[in-house]
Amino acid sequence: MKIIEEAVAKGQKSLSEFASKQVLASYGIPVCQEALVQSEEEAVEKARAFGFPVVLKGCGEKLTHKTEGNLIRLWLRGPEEVQEAYRDLTKDTPEGLEGILVQEMVSGNRELVIGLIRDAQFGPCVMFGFGGVFTEVLNDVSFRVAPLEEWDAMEMMEEIRAKKILDEFRGEKAVDRRLLAESLIALGKIGLENDSVEEIDVNPLKFRDGKPVAVDALVVLADKAD
């Protein structure tokens, strides 16, 4: 894939969030509406197009820990808040900043994680589990070796301890398991078709009317020398 090949040729260790989601979208994984902008005016224009509230994030292939780097501004409800957030995110020009990502705000209490790791023995392995800020703490995940069939993905959903989160939850519709399965299958395809992809992390994966939406993503690349 061109985005991945060009990044590897440049010696990048990862893709930016924006580029990572372009890869996901090209394989049919639903992602939130977003645009990479270079000015306050453009940020406001895109925010109006998406509809308030929106999210602003610092974006760049080196900016892989945006929360720790204080590079995310949530629930921006109007042009003035977008302008203020843009200035705040760019005032010190963080190293590796390539632009500001304007995203629609996808609300919802349900947060899951999907991803891919490349195991030395088994090759690309797809991961699914409980997401959000507690992913590493709770470690409630399931794995399958790619390629996946739909029944593999459905089994993964049944294996996590928090599987009830897939049902109707706090007024939200039950997860569309078929669409979620399609995203898990697609992750396996990315790993099988792109040897340079070492890892994919989609966290959180949120849900709108039960349908999955990737609101954050990171694609980690293999070292060019490997």
Side-chain angles (χ1 to χ4, degrees), residues 45-58:
E45 177 187 343
K46 295 299 182 182
R48 283 192 169 122
F50 297 154
F52 297 101
V54 296
V55 178
L56 260 60
K57 299 178 180 178

Side-chain angles (χ1 to χ4, degrees), residues 1-225:
M1 187 174 183
K2 188 175 181 180
I3 293 175
I4 296 171
E5 291 172 355
E6 290 180 349
V8 171
K10 293 176 183 175
Q12 291 181 209
K13 295 181 179 179
S14 63
L15 299 181
S16 70
E17 179 180 345
F18 183 62
S20 294
K21 291 218 199 77
Q22 286 182 307
V23 171
L24 298 184
S26 72
Y27 278 82
I29 299 173
V31 302
C32 61
Q33 292 187 90
E34 61 184 25
L36 189 64
V37 305
Q38 304 293 335
S39 70
E40 281 183 42
E41 294 75 18
E42 194 179 2
V44 171
E45 177 187 343
K46 295 299 182 182
R48 283 192 169 122
F50 297 154
F52 297 101
V54 296
V55 178
L56 260 60
K57 299 178 180 178
C59 187
E61 53 102 357
K62 295 182 179 179
L63 303 179
T64 57
H65 301 288
K66 292 182 288 295
T67 300
E68 293 86 339
N70 194 29
L71 293 173
I72 303 176
R73 301 293 182 273
L74 302 171
W75 293 104
L76 305 174
R77 302 180 184 277
E80 295 80 8
E81 290 187 17
V82 169
Q83 290 173 326
E84 182 180 352
Y86 186 96
R87 292 168 193 159
D88 194 30
L89 289 169
T90 58
K91 65 182 179 181
D92 295 323
T93 314
E95 183 181 357
L97 184 69
E98 298 170 7
I100 298 298
L101 201 55
V102 182
Q103 298 178 342
E104 62 172 328
M105 185 78 209
V106 181
S107 58
N109 296 307
R110 185 190 281 122
E111 294 187 341
L112 299 177
V113 58
I114 61 176
L116 179 98
I117 61 169
R118 189 173 296 277
D119 184 81
Q121 181 177 356
F122 297 108
C125 299
V126 177
M127 179 266 289
F128 165 75
F130 190 82
V133 295
F134 298 112
T135 300
E136 294 179 4
V137 175
L138 298 178
N139 194 30
D140 188 7
V141 295
S142 176
F143 288 91
R144 283 294 184 284
V145 177
L148 273 65
E149 300 291 343
E150 184 176 292
W151 64 269
D152 293 307
M154 294 296 186
E155 278 191 344
M156 293 174 75
M157 298 176 208
E158 289 297 317
E159 289 175 355
I160 64 169
R161 297 188 301 277
K163 63 183 180 181
K164 287 187 177 179
I165 200 173
L166 300 173
D167 301 330
E168 290 185 13
F169 177 72
R170 294 190 178 180
E172 298 181 27
K173 292 182 179 179
V175 166
D176 188 323
R177 296 191 182 213
R178 189 172 297 275
L179 287 179
L180 177 54
E182 289 177 1
S183 292
L184 292 169
I185 292 167
L187 282 172
K189 289 181 180 178
I190 296 173
L192 289 169
E193 296 177 5
N194 300 275
D195 292 339
S196 297
V197 173
E198 278 291 301
E199 182 181 337
I200 300 174
D201 186 27
V202 181
N203 187 20
L205 181 76
K206 301 196 100 173
F207 293 83
R208 181 162 42 206
D209 295 326
K211 297 177 175 59
V213 183
V215 299
D216 200 350
L218 172 65
V219 174
V220 178
L221 304 172
D223 191 295
K224 189 176 178 182

